[in-house]
Amino acid sequence: MTVTPSRSPWADGDAAGGTAVPPTRPAARPGESAGEPALEQRESQEPLKPREPRESRASQEPQEPRESQASGGFLARAALVTAALSVAGSLLGLVRDQALARLFGAGRDTDAFLVAWTVPEFATTLLIEDGLAFALIPAFSLALARRARGAGGDPVRALVAGTLPRLSLAFVAVGVLVAALAPQLVGVLAPGLPDPGLAVDCTRLTATCVVSFGLAGYCSAALRAHRRFVAPAAIYVAYNTGIVTGMSVLGGRWGCGRRRSGSRSAAA
């Protein structure tokens, strides 16, 4: 059997007198000389992307660790200042009690004063320390957050306009109620007091502190929500300093000197 060898297309073209189409070559791989011009042309057609500067890349990095460190340092300083002023206020309270004992001594006048002073002490705890702070600090913090997010209007001003007038009226009403119920209040606080009339008068005078302490507590809560802690912590320093100064200035006229002179005239 005779095997006929295969003939290439080029040979067929030559034999037929025509022109045969050469076979297509596979695409050149990277690194081959035939593919280099196409690769260079494709690279020249692609736009070059500008490199980002280092500052922009650094600004895109997360800033949470730095912010947390700054916040932690601020809270530490605020806690230190608050603790220091609280200790100072407590020491001034001790000085206040010592000055009261030295200038006025022990007697029915001092007893009446101490009974009446229960109202400011209770108002201080309720209005400045606990009650208003627990209610108003979250409200002010939420209003400040809404302002930072760009809410319409001013949420903080709206909160103050909606709460301060009503609370002021409530403080006035409570003060008037305490003054009206002063005899009953003295009877509950000191049943066996020798001179309840003087204690009632002192209680009515101290009932006015409900308004001033309420407004001070409102401002203190607003300042704490604004991350201002020095003035709220210094309230007791100013409070006890004012009492000690008032007793020192007016103690010679209304204190032990007057009582001793009255006792001497009565003995004579």
Side-chain angles (χ1 to χ4, degrees):
M1 180 176 64
T2 304
V3 179
T4 304
S6 60
R7 302 177 63 184
S8 64
W10 295 100
D12 294 340
D14 293 340
T19 302
V21 179
T24 58
R25 298 180 60 185
R29 297 178 181 179
E32 296 181 355
S33 60
E36 287 180 357
L39 180 61
E40 292 178 358
Q41 183 178 4
R42 187 165 58 251
E43 289 180 354
S44 62
Q45 293 177 358
E46 293 180 355
L48 296 177
K49 297 182 179 180
R51 295 183 178 179
E52 296 182 358
R54 295 182 179 180
E55 296 180 357
S56 62
R57 291 198 300 267
S59 61
Q60 295 177 0
E61 295 179 357
Q63 301 293 332
E64 294 181 359
R66 297 180 181 178
E67 292 179 357
S68 61
Q69 291 177 1
S71 179
F74 174 78
L75 291 177
R77 291 192 300 270
L80 180 62
V81 171
T82 302
L85 291 176
S86 299
V87 171
S90 300
L91 293 177
L92 285 173
L94 179 62
V95 173
R96 177 199 65 191
D97 295 339
Q98 295 295 326
L100 176 65
R102 182 177 64 85
L103 294 174
F104 295 93
R108 61 180 185 179
D109 297 342
T110 306
D111 293 339
F113 170 79
L114 293 177
V115 170
W117 204 249
T118 307
V119 176
E121 293 294 331
F122 182 76
T124 301
T125 303
L126 182 62
L127 299 178
I128 297 180
E129 293 181 359
D130 298 333
L132 285 181
F134 291 154
L136 290 177
I137 291 178
F140 273 107
S141 300
L142 180 60
L144 289 172
R146 291 179 58 194
R147 175 195 282 178
R149 290 195 299 265
D154 193 343
V156 178
R157 290 182 179 271
L159 177 63
V160 173
T163 56
L164 184 57
R166 298 176 183 178
L167 287 176
S168 299
L169 291 177
F171 298 151
V172 172
V174 172
V176 172
L177 184 62
V178 170
L181 299 178
Q184 291 78 10
L185 186 60
V186 171
V188 172
L189 294 176
L193 197 65
D195 189 4
L198 181 59
V200 169
D201 295 337
C202 292
T203 302
R204 286 172 175 168
L205 289 175
T206 56
T208 58
C209 73
V210 176
V211 179
S212 59
F213 284 11
L215 296 177
Y218 189 94
C219 296
S220 175
L223 288 173
R224 287 172 179 172
H226 282 81
R227 301 168 67 90
R228 301 291 185 270
F229 299 98
V230 176
I235 286 180
Y236 290 105
V237 175
Y239 173 69
N240 291 320
T241 301
I243 295 174
V244 172
T245 303
M247 287 191 299
S248 301
V249 172
L250 302 176
R253 180 180 301 178
W254 294 339
C256 295
R258 182 181 178 184
R259 189 178 69 251
R260 289 174 180 175
S261 62
S263 62
R264 290 176 182 176
S265 61

